[in-house]
Amino acid sequence: MYIGRFLLVGPEIGAYRVSSRSFPNRRIDDRGEALTVGPTAEAPETDNPYVGYNCLRVVETPNGETTAFGNGSHVDPIAEKLERGYPARDALAASLLALDYEKDDYDTPRIAATIGGGSAGNGDEAYVGIVRRDALLVEAVSEPTLVATYEHDRPQAFEFDAESAKAAAREAYDLAFEHAVCAAGVARVGGEFETAIVND
């Protein structure tokens, strides 16, 4: 089954996977301030605005370190709002609503999640969100949850038992959904987040 790009999020761990039929020649690179999806050297040139973007950022917020991740350019405004002290739920809702679903041939939804930086220092706080043509959903996460751009386009419980960023990225990449391209993982280690990349 092809479900497109998807993310998995639990209270302290998460993963994002690029799955693509149209633009498979992509990889994730660690740019220091962000993990960035972009074309490989072999990729044909394209003017598609949805091919490259920051897919994961870890930022310092008034309530501690927080990570934001997702499938497009909305990750940056989510991270910036978190840095300015927005509650995670509000940062997700405002940014997803402002950028809306992708205006491509498929009306592709935007998906995103946050982990950490909870109110009053509740570091286990996690949220997941999606904006589709017909809905905006933002939900608190209390158990491992999946949301995808197609088919599974509303948050749902999903078995996800990785215990490190590397394991999270690998588990997401290896799931049986079609057209895996690359994946990123993130996990809280002590008071900070570690990240990992799979480019197979």
Short mmCIF file of all heavy atoms in Angstrom, two decimals, residues 8-9 23 27 93 122 155 195:
data_model
loop_
_atom_site.label_atom_id
_atom_site.label_comp_id
_atom_site.label_asym_id
_atom_site.label_seq_id
_atom_site.Cartn_x
_atom_site.Cartn_y
_atom_site.Cartn_z
N LEU A 8 5.54 9.13 12.48
CA LEU A 8 5.18 8.38 13.67
C LEU A 8 5.61 9.21 14.86
O LEU A 8 6.71 9.78 14.86
CB LEU A 8 5.91 7.03 13.70
CG LEU A 8 5.53 6.05 12.59
CD1 LEU A 8 6.65 5.06 12.34
CD2 LEU A 8 4.26 5.32 12.99
N VAL A 9 4.76 9.29 15.87
CA VAL A 9 5.14 10.08 17.04
C VAL A 9 4.61 9.42 18.30
O VAL A 9 3.50 8.92 18.35
CB VAL A 9 4.64 11.55 16.92
CG1 VAL A 9 3.14 11.61 16.79
CG2 VAL A 9 5.11 12.40 18.08
N PHE A 23 9.15 11.68 -7.06
CA PHE A 23 10.49 12.26 -6.82
C PHE A 23 11.29 11.37 -5.87
O PHE A 23 11.54 11.74 -4.73
CB PHE A 23 10.36 13.67 -6.25
CG PHE A 23 9.68 14.64 -7.17
CD1 PHE A 23 8.34 14.94 -7.00
CD2 PHE A 23 10.37 15.23 -8.22
CE1 PHE A 23 7.69 15.82 -7.85
CE2 PHE A 23 9.73 16.11 -9.09
CZ PHE A 23 8.39 16.41 -8.90
N ARG A 27 17.26 12.70 -0.54
CA ARG A 27 17.94 12.23 0.66
C ARG A 27 17.74 13.26 1.76
O ARG A 27 17.32 14.39 1.50
CB ARG A 27 19.43 11.98 0.42
CG ARG A 27 20.19 13.21 -0.07
CD ARG A 27 21.67 12.94 -0.30
NE ARG A 27 22.38 12.88 0.97
CZ ARG A 27 23.04 11.81 1.39
NH1 ARG A 27 23.12 10.72 0.66
NH2 ARG A 27 23.67 11.84 2.57
N ALA A 93 -1.33 24.23 14.90
CA ALA A 93 -2.59 24.65 14.28
C ALA A 93 -2.41 25.91 13.45
O ALA A 93 -2.87 25.98 12.30
CB ALA A 93 -3.65 24.87 15.36
N ASN A 122 6.56 20.05 31.22
CA ASN A 122 6.18 18.65 30.98
C ASN A 122 6.81 18.18 29.68
O ASN A 122 6.25 18.32 28.61
CB ASN A 122 4.64 18.53 30.91
CG ASN A 122 4.20 17.12 30.57
OD1 ASN A 122 5.00 16.19 30.54
ND2 ASN A 122 2.92 16.97 30.31
N PRO A 155 -4.84 11.00 12.37
CA PRO A 155 -4.01 10.33 13.38
C PRO A 155 -4.66 9.05 13.89
O PRO A 155 -5.86 9.03 14.16
CB PRO A 155 -3.89 11.38 14.48
CG PRO A 155 -4.09 12.69 13.78
CD PRO A 155 -5.11 12.40 12.71
N THR A 195 19.13 12.89 16.95
CA THR A 195 18.49 12.65 15.65
C THR A 195 19.29 11.63 14.86
O THR A 195 20.49 11.41 15.15
CB THR A 195 18.36 13.93 14.84
OG1 THR A 195 19.65 14.47 14.56
CG2 THR A 195 17.50 14.97 15.57
#
